[in-house]
Amino acid sequence: MYLDDYKRWMAADLEDADLKPELAKIEGNDDEIKDRFAVALKFGTAGLRGVLGAGTNRMNIYVVRQATQGLANWVKTQGGNQTVAISYDSRLKSDVFAKTAAGVLAANGIKVRIYDALMPVPALSFATRYYQCNAGIMVTASHNPAKYNGYKAYGPDGCQMTDDAAAIVYDEIQKTDILEGAKYVSFAEGVESGMIRFVGDDCKKAFYEAIEARQVRPGLCKTAGLKLVYSPLNGSGLVPVTTVLNDMGITDITIVPEQEYPNGYFTTCSYPNPEIFAALELGLNLAKETDADLMLATDPDADRVGIAMKCPDGSYELVSGNEMGVLLLDYICAGRIEKGTMPENPVAVKSIVSTPLADAVAAHYGVELRSVLTGFKWIGDQIANLEAAGEVDRFIFGFEESYGYLAGPYVRDKDAVIGSMLICEMAAYYRSIGSSIKQRLEEIYAQYGRYLNKVDSFEFPGLTGMDKMAGIMQGLRDNPPTEFAGYKVEKVTDYQKPEETGLPAANVLIYTLEGGATVVVRPSGTEPKIKTYFTTLGKDLAEAQAQKDKLAEALKPILA
């Protein structure tokens, strides 16, 4: 079967000049042909993601056309505006895939609003809502290495597509022949006919205004003298982040020169992920050179932001996603109470694998903190529920431990632009009162206890990897551990039992231990690995770390 597909692609008149030479090169190599044609990239709630190249198991214009035809078939049943918004980041072929998707939609009689230059995930979510679209498409592979690209699909609410809608789109994709099944007109034809239009300046301006309206202390940054180093990691953050920071009065910004402009090869860091040190290294060196107060880096599609803060001794320290989530929650609550802008019955939302320290901070300020499944669409879902009840203003903040933040309901996905703005405003505020982010973090730990949050991963490569992972999870359910490293298990929460959790079913186990520590075990949704999340609580960092080490050691034989 896969050999027939290979021969068919070889015989076809392929429009992308890169594909034929690749196919010719693997002629007679069964493993390579199998790798490209034995399966197709699966379309799910996160859309598509794969390595660039030829074949059904790669990202290329034909896979994009087929997926977009599936999406178009679903849109046609939806009534409404019959419009789809499109954005793309700096990855290789992102602009080509975005224009290819636009051509398929236009050929299907569906109107398109596409950005005229690369723009991040939150800008796509915003445009989808602004133009009251039926759907949105973001061409990105987030923080994957350079050889990947992908295609995220959004629903009319600007949130990543629901399971039900994605299942329908997937069925329609299955019915569409990959090389010839999609209707298609060229981008130029689509523009000429008026079916494809660019996102207007009014929409871009409204996006920036919506973000800037969420300042906690407007005007503060103009006089704070904050000194910043920023890296867009060669992605889509440069224009939106610097626009918003300049608007609010932060002008002393040094951009990391090697990472300033779009470059889909990501030559300075093999893995453009602001969670890892290597991606921030150039920025950290520049921060030390320029004596900056703060160093920020946004990932290629600018939905997540990582930071390094300057410590009183002049060194720089990376801040984890959990710590930043807690710092922002604390800053927003205290600031809005002080300014009289806190809504009645405020709501914040975090993922179930994010730190319980946030629960303690929220309780202190009288804020209701809701915990949802991993994936920012579940935070978007909570905002939608508040909106449906006419109470959307109650939402003040949402975060995930993986560096995703959102303050305000103007978009329904994580937003590194508002994240960057609020982090800078917070740094400027603490600087203006003779404090710092580092000092505030230490005060929070002193007040609530020294929480430590760490994530370990166990990889299960190869064809049997998924089976092994399923076996381990089943084993934990069949023979529930009663203790880890001598700490008694007081409670097990199994998220595969929605009747107990009140949330949709998910393959996650949370163990609450005596003394307050928690261990979370969950298989990754995108990679062959099981992740373990530890939260420990000690009188100081050493004590919390010692408990984490003991627990991790106890889990190793179970997950080996």
Side-chain angles (χ1 to χ4, degrees):
M1 177 70 187
Y2 63 88
L3 279 171
D4 294 341
D5 284 344
Y6 168 71
K7 286 174 188 154
R8 188 177 165 222
W9 280 57
M10 276 295 277
D13 183 17
L14 300 178
E15 288 169 52
D16 182 339
D18 293 337
L19 301 180
K20 261 297 161 60
E22 182 187 339
L23 292 171
K25 204 164 136 189
I26 61 169
E27 194 165 6
N29 185 332
D30 194 62
D31 287 347
E32 290 289 350
I33 294 170
K34 205 177 199 169
D35 188 38
R36 286 166 178 76
F37 290 96
V39 293
L41 286 185
K42 188 159 164 44
F43 185 95
T45 52
L48 298 164
R49 191 176 295 186
V51 173
L52 290 157
T56 53
N57 191 29
R58 292 286 188 271
M59 279 298 293
N60 53 63
I61 56 173
Y62 297 102
V63 166
V64 169
R65 283 183 191 181
Q66 185 190 36
T68 310
Q69 184 63 53
L71 182 75
N73 293 353
W74 174 75
V75 167
K76 286 182 207 171
T77 65
Q78 295 300 296
N81 263 345
Q82 294 291 290
T83 305
V84 175
I86 301 179
S87 187
Y88 56 94
D89 68 5
S90 62
R91 286 188 171 270
L92 304 175
K93 297 198 188 281
S94 277
D95 54 338
V96 176
F97 294 162
K99 287 177 175 171
T100 298
V104 173
L105 293 164
N108 278 279
I110 294 164
K111 298 189 284 290
V112 173
R113 284 287 191 161
I114 185 170
Y115 279 99
D116 55 2
L118 70 169
M119 280 292 270
V121 157
L124 182 273
S125 178
F126 188 85
T128 304
R129 295 173 61 78
Y130 186 86
Y131 291 114
Q132 296 174 338
C133 295
N134 294 73
I137 297 167
M138 178 74 200
V139 180
T140 177
S142 190
H143 53 273
N144 277 45
K147 64 181 181 182
Y148 286 84
N149 210 332
Y151 176 114
K152 283 185 187 171
Y154 287 74
D157 55 356
C159 213
Q160 278 195 37
M161 193 168 257
T162 62
D163 294 352
D164 296 347
I168 297 167
V169 172
Y170 181 61
D171 281 346
E172 293 297 332
I173 290 171
Q174 300 297 93
K175 297 176 197 165
T176 306
D177 179 78
I178 189 162
L179 293 180
E180 292 159 2
K183 294 180 183 173
Y184 182 69
V185 297
S186 72
F187 187 75
E189 283 174 78
V191 171
E192 215 163 282
S193 69
M195 292 304 290
I196 299 174
R197 295 174 64 190
F198 289 108
V199 168
D201 288 341
D202 54 335
C203 177
K204 293 178 195 168
K205 189 169 170 245
F207 174 58
Y208 293 138
E209 282 171 355
I211 292 170
E212 289 163 20
R214 308 301 298 188
Q215 291 175 67
V216 178
R217 295 181 167 89
L220 171 92
C221 291
K222 289 186 169 63
T223 54
L226 188 75
K227 202 170 183 163
L228 176 70
V229 165
Y230 168 58
S231 171
L233 294 180
N234 301 117
S236 60
L238 179 67
V239 172
V241 170
T242 55
T243 298
V244 167
L245 295 184
N246 285 323
D247 284 354
M248 59 190 289
I250 295 176
T251 50
D252 190 346
I253 307 173
T254 306
I255 312 283
V256 177
E258 303 91 331
Q259 297 173 337
E260 181 167 6
Y261 295 111
N263 171 4
Y265 292 100
F266 304 116
T267 36
T268 59
C269 54
S270 58
Y271 197 51
N273 181 352
E275 289 183 64
I276 60 171
F277 176 75
L280 307 187
E281 201 166 1
L282 285 173
L284 278 166
N285 295 340
L286 197 54
K288 287 170 195 158
E289 261 172 59
T290 57
D291 193 32
D293 297 296
L294 193 61
M295 187 257 148
L296 289 184
T298 52
D299 64 344
D301 58 348
D303 59 356
R304 303 181 321 137
V305 54
I307 85 147
M309 59 184 173
K310 188 177 171 188
C311 300
D313 64 1
S315 67
Y316 289 85
E317 194 178 298
L318 299 186
V319 184
S320 75
N322 271 317
E323 288 176 328
M324 185 46 72
V326 166
L327 279 160
L328 286 171
L329 178 65
D330 171 71
Y331 175 73
I332 290 166
C333 291
R336 290 187 71 160
I337 288 167
E338 180 199 312
K339 292 284 178 194
T341 55
M342 186 68 110
E344 267 185 51
N345 306 319
V347 172
V349 191
K350 71 170 178 68
S351 64
I352 54 175
V353 297
S354 301
T355 179
L357 176 53
D359 298 79
V361 171
H364 173 79
Y365 290 108
V367 170
E368 178 193 343
L369 185 69
R370 299 178 182 178
S371 288
V372 295
L373 297 178
T374 312
F376 220 87
K377 68 175 176 182
W378 299 112
I379 295 176
D381 192 46
Q382 290 296 320
I383 304 172
N385 293 344
L386 289 168
E387 189 171 51
E391 302 175 341
V392 78
D393 291 338
R394 287 175 60 195
F395 174 74
I396 59 165
F397 185 59
F399 84 96
E400 287 187 317
E401 48 75 42
S402 55
Y403 295 65
Y405 316 106
L406 177 64
Y410 59 96
V411 296
R412 296 296 152 85
D413 209 336
K414 45 196 180 281
D415 179 4
V417 185
I418 199 166
S420 300
M421 177 188 87
L422 287 170
I423 290 165
C424 289
E425 188 195 303
M426 174 169 72
Y429 170 69
Y430 292 136
R431 195 174 186 274
S432 74
I433 60 168
S435 179
S436 65
I437 293 181
K438 170 71 173 168
Q439 196 176 324
R440 182 60 196 150
L441 184 59
E442 293 306 326
E443 288 164 356
I444 288 171
Y445 283 139
Q447 183 173 349
Y448 302 100
R450 186 59 174 89
Y451 284 77
L452 176 73
N453 306 281
K454 291 281 181 189
V455 185
D456 290 348
S457 290
F458 294 83
E459 296 204 16
F460 298 88
L463 294 172
T464 57
M466 289 310 206
D467 294 339
K468 278 184 194 154
M469 284 162 58
I472 288 169
M473 295 304 288
Q474 196 52 52
L476 286 168
R477 290 189 167 94
D478 293 342
N479 304 298
T482 53
E483 54 92 39
F484 293 112
Y487 295 95
K488 199 163 123 257
V489 174
E490 288 187 340
K491 183 179 166 212
V492 184
T493 310
D494 185 349
Y495 283 83
Q496 269 190 348
K497 298 176 177 167
E499 65 281 3
E500 287 175 23
T501 64
L503 296 174
N507 194 5
V508 181
L509 291 163
I510 297 189
Y511 301 93
T512 307
L513 311 181
E514 64 181 338
T518 56
V519 176
V520 182
V521 183
R522 71 175 270 267
S524 164
T526 51
E527 300 163 286
K529 54 172 71 163
I530 289 180
K531 291 183 169 186
T532 50
Y533 302 76
F534 300 93
T535 297
T536 51
L537 182 57
K539 59 179 187 295
D540 55 26
L541 182 55
E543 189 177 70
Q545 182 68 50
Q547 187 183 10
K548 185 263 158 181
D549 293 342
K550 268 197 232 164
L551 292 171
E553 210 45 52
L555 268 148
K556 263 186 199 157
I558 300 172
L559 298 176

